[in-house]
Amino acid sequence: MNFDFSYLDIAFKNGSVITVNAQDEIAQAVGVKGNKIVFVGTNEEIDQLIDEKTQVIDLKGRTLMPGLNDSHYHPILNGMIGTDLDSAMVDTGFAQAKDIPSVLAILKAVTDTKAPGKWVSSMGFEATLLKEQRYPTLEELDAIAPNNPLQAITCNGHNAIYNSKALEYLKVYTAEDAKKYPEGEVVVADGKLTGEVRGHTHFWLWGQVDYSPAQQRKAALKSQKKCFENGITSVGDMGECDAPSYHTMQKLCRNGEFRVRTYMALHSIFGKPFSLEDNEHFLKLGFMTGLGDEHFRVGPCKFMIDGGTGGPSCATREPYSHDPELPRERGWEREESWDYIKRVNDAECQCTAHAVGDLAIEFMVEGYERCFAENPERVRALRHRIEHCVIVDPDLIERMAKMNICPILHTGLVQMLGKNFSEFYGPERNKYLEAVRSMLDAGIHVALHSDAPSGPVGVQVIDGAVNRYDRSKNFQCDRTQAVSVLEAIRCYTLNSAYAAHEDHIKGSIEVGKLADLIILSDDILAIDPMDIHTLKVDLTMIDGVVEYER
């Protein structure tokens, strides 16, 4: 590739440059011209390429590294959550509410601004972090919102507490009515409705809330600001509010308003019927994954097999360790999953599914194996994914490696809820929970993500992968799957680009690649790894343009 070296637009000097190249080399200096990286090397070498037009940025020993590629993120959903009373979804997370009365006070304040019949939508609380260690009750929600349908979604998004006005949309008025839905999805306790709705029934009910295109546009741009502040230059958008969201995100990217590079899955947060319709329409037209450009591409065809890690509600082979009677959610069955994977694979599209528990992951691996038996090279080339892929074992890892499956892991949740996971899944399963170490050793291209708004973002994801330490409860989790700082960075940059078929243009600091770069507040390789969580992002660059400076 030929470049005009007459001058550099921007020169970074005196840094600890984490290149993420094949040799994991650490350089001192980087040169940018236009939107490309044109030089990587020493301070002395870059001095020969600088002239009076070059902007020189002195790194002063700080880390310069590739921009983070958050491979599973929800820009619109993340941006809709806010503390303002007119937010599309009001924030009830731990930073805003540490007990039930605080959660209820937020919800009542929002309700008081709504006309009768209008939805009150919220998300964020985690019952195990609240003082009372429980959900709000149906009666408590009815008391503050007698005339408005209200939803209080948990931080993991897979279940919510609804009031009676909201349950009317399901035609659920008594405990007997809950039997019309899959077992455990409209939760009954002691013969009474609790207001909790789980799984696909919850997603359908969530779909009855109307989020306007204007709200979604505003949310995406708000989310972009958070990405910039956390050094995220690319995202895998793994599900939004169905049809309006696809149009909104593509238009924002095309117009240059949403600068974060986007790889958008065909998936709706409103559940199975919506996602099936979206994917079937795309597949029937004969399009393939990757349609678009370096700013916006159509990503994988996605479906959702089980529930969440927190709660928990995922589909595990064995009962949960802390409560063996707790339902383990399955929205798709084994052969149904196989058939759908084959449908996507035969269309030469990348397939993925939300699969957290080892049983759900087993469904995915078996489905990919059936396709692999027919055409192994196609399966390897498509780089099929498994989203979250939390609980595995050595056998599942070996089978994934053989087929070049890309697991998309959620190490930030270990930092946030690791103590809970130790209790939910027990010591043996925790040895292979978020199994980054074992997967890398098997030669798998492990990618990392935040699942924002459900988990920590940016360097906190790296912290979770390296330290395996629950910072909300000051608890050291099992370190079997801990990795080095350089390995975690590779997973959150180049491997995430690989899982989106874009590792040839981004994800590492190499000549010819896109100038998507970030500067950290210190040298991440020189500080105590336990201090990674204290690092800030000082600068975020996309396409050679500085989008954020702290």
Side-chain angles (χ1 to χ4, degrees):
M1 189 175 294
N2 296 316
F3 291 99
D4 174 9
F5 283 102
S6 57
Y7 67 92
L8 301 174
D9 292 331
I10 300 174
F12 296 93
K13 294 179 58 179
N14 304 317
S16 172
V17 179
I18 299 174
T19 64
V20 199
N21 66 12
Q23 295 77 37
D24 264 333
E25 291 176 302
I26 307 300
Q28 294 177 315
V30 172
V32 172
K33 186 175 178 64
N35 71 336
K36 296 289 179 63
I37 297 165
V38 297
F39 171 83
V40 184
T42 67
N43 291 327
E44 291 75 16
E45 290 169 331
I46 202 170
D47 283 340
Q48 307 305 310
L49 304 173
I50 294 172
D51 68 9
E52 69 280 359
K53 298 177 182 177
T54 304
Q55 178 188 358
V56 179
I57 297 176
D58 186 355
L59 295 170
K60 298 178 181 178
R62 295 171 296 173
T63 290
L64 177 73
M65 59 182 277
L68 300 176
N69 188 332
D70 199 306
S71 53
H72 186 121
Y73 196 98
H74 302 275
I76 290 175
L77 177 58
N78 187 49
M80 286 199 299
I81 299 170
T83 56
D84 295 337
L85 297 184
D86 63 350
S87 298
M89 303 181 75
V90 70
D91 186 357
T92 57
F94 189 68
Q96 313 305 325
K98 295 178 172 53
D99 53 32
I100 294 292
S102 301
V103 173
L104 296 174
I106 292 170
L107 295 176
K108 185 177 188 308
V110 176
T111 303
D112 288 346
T113 70
K114 303 282 186 178
K118 295 296 184 181
W119 274 91
V120 176
S121 182
S122 71
M123 184 174 180
F125 80 92
E126 165 57 47
T128 62
L129 298 180
L130 295 176
K131 178 182 177 181
E132 297 84 357
Q133 298 272 298
R134 67 171 176 85
Y135 294 143
T137 66
L138 176 64
E139 292 76 17
E140 287 170 334
L141 297 188
D142 282 346
I144 63 172
N147 302 311
N148 298 79
L150 182 151
Q151 61 172 183
I153 303 177
T154 63
C155 71
N156 71 58
H158 285 261
N159 64 323
I161 312 302
Y162 291 88
N163 70 349
S164 295
K165 279 291 184 182
L167 294 178
E168 289 178 8
Y169 283 76
L170 296 174
K171 294 184 169 51
V172 168
Y173 305 95
T174 67
E176 188 67 22
D177 294 330
K179 295 177 182 178
K180 297 183 288 188
Y181 295 92
E183 184 178 357
E185 293 205 356
V186 178
V187 180
V188 172
D190 299 325
K192 297 181 179 179
L193 292 171
T194 65
E196 183 183 3
V197 184
R198 302 161 62 100
H200 285 284
T201 304
H202 153 59
F203 290 124
W204 182 89
L205 187 50
W206 189 358
Q208 307 314 298
V209 184
D210 181 26
Y211 303 115
S212 70
Q215 285 179 311
Q216 294 187 42
R217 183 183 185 280
K218 179 180 177 182
L221 295 176
K222 175 185 172 184
S223 198
Q224 174 173 246
K225 183 175 182 289
K226 183 174 182 178
C227 286
F228 289 161
E229 292 169 351
N230 286 279
I232 296 168
T233 58
S234 294
V235 294
D237 186 342
M238 289 296 119
E240 302 290 2
C241 307
D242 211 53
S245 300
Y246 302 123
H247 182 84
T248 297
M249 289 304 301
Q250 184 180 9
K251 186 174 181 179
L252 286 172
C253 290
R254 184 189 66 189
N255 293 346
E257 295 177 82
F258 194 83
R259 298 274 294 151
V260 178
R261 303 185 196 279
T262 301
Y263 186 65
M264 191 170 191
L266 296 168
H267 179 68
S268 169
I269 60 173
F270 298 147
K272 190 172 181 177
F274 294 92
S275 289
L276 277 173
E277 181 181 353
D278 295 348
N279 281 294
E280 279 302 311
H281 183 66
F282 184 81
L283 293 170
K284 284 178 180 177
L285 291 173
F287 289 125
M288 295 187 292
T289 303
L291 186 66
D293 58 24
E294 62 197 32
H295 299 289
F296 178 92
R297 294 189 196 278
V298 175
C301 296
K302 181 190 170 193
F303 61 109
M304 181 178 292
I305 293 180
D306 65 346
T309 321
S313 57
C314 59
T316 53
R317 291 163 171 165
E318 302 296 330
Y320 304 130
S321 299
H322 72 304
D323 185 354
E325 301 304 315
L326 199 62
R328 290 166 283 152
E329 178 186 316
R330 289 204 307 269
W332 289 66
E333 296 302 329
R334 189 183 302 267
E335 293 191 6
E336 182 184 22
S337 301
W338 294 351
D339 292 343
Y340 200 66
I341 289 170
K342 179 173 170 53
R343 170 87 173 93
V344 177
N345 182 78
D346 287 353
E348 297 185 70
C349 288
Q350 187 184 45
C351 183
T352 195
H354 169 114
V356 170
D358 48 6
L359 181 62
I361 296 164
E362 181 181 287
F363 290 2
M364 293 296 291
V365 170
E366 288 173 345
Y368 289 142
E369 284 174 332
R370 291 163 73 87
C371 297
F372 190 79
E374 294 179 4
N375 190 333
E377 289 311 310
R378 173 179 290 181
V379 171
R380 288 194 186 101
L382 286 171
R383 305 179 187 180
H384 293 308
R385 302 163 48 131
I386 301 176
E387 306 302 312
H388 312 309
C389 200
V390 175
I391 302 170
V392 294
D393 61 22
D395 176 63
L396 288 170
I397 292 171
E398 180 181 349
R399 291 156 70 187
M400 284 190 280
K402 180 180 178 182
M403 297 182 287
N404 194 31
I405 303 305
C406 297
I408 313 298
L409 300 190
H410 196 344
T411 53
L413 271 192
V414 177
Q415 190 216 53
M416 178 181 172
L417 297 171
K419 188 174 189 295
N420 288 1
F421 299 160
S422 297
E423 297 166 359
F424 294 167
Y425 307 114
E428 289 308 309
R429 284 185 287 197
N430 268 271
K431 285 183 170 59
Y432 285 92
L433 184 143
E434 307 284 4
V436 188
R437 171 78 280 141
S438 295
M439 289 178 180
L440 289 178
D441 290 345
I444 291 174
H445 291 86
V446 183
L448 300 184
H449 75 283
S450 67
D451 197 19
S454 294
V457 302
V459 295
Q460 309 308 323
V461 174
I462 296 172
D463 174 52
V466 172
N467 294 308
R468 312 283 295 197
Y469 189 83
D470 183 337
R471 299 199 179 276
S472 65
K473 295 187 176 178
N474 294 318
F475 177 81
Q476 181 59 65
C477 305
D478 188 297
R479 287 186 52 83
T480 303
Q481 299 299 332
V483 295
S484 72
V485 175
L486 285 177
E487 287 172 322
I489 289 172
R490 178 174 292 270
C491 290
Y492 206 16
T493 54
L494 188 62
N495 285 6
S496 291
Y498 182 89
H501 296 270
E502 292 188 311
D503 51 307
H504 61 294
I505 62 169
K506 64 184 183 182
S508 60
I509 299 181
E510 298 180 86
V511 171
K513 286 198 170 183
L514 293 165
D516 295 354
L517 306 168
I518 63 172
I519 301 173
L520 301 182
S521 55
D522 206 333
D523 181 354
I524 194 172
L525 300 179
I527 65 172
D528 185 333
M530 282 297 286
D531 291 333
I532 288 171
H533 72 106
T534 67
L535 290 172
K536 305 295 183 184
V537 172
D538 282 349
L539 180 146
T540 300
M541 170 183 284
I542 299 177
D543 256 349
V545 177
V546 175
E547 299 289 353
Y548 166 78
E549 284 189 88
R550 187 165 69 96

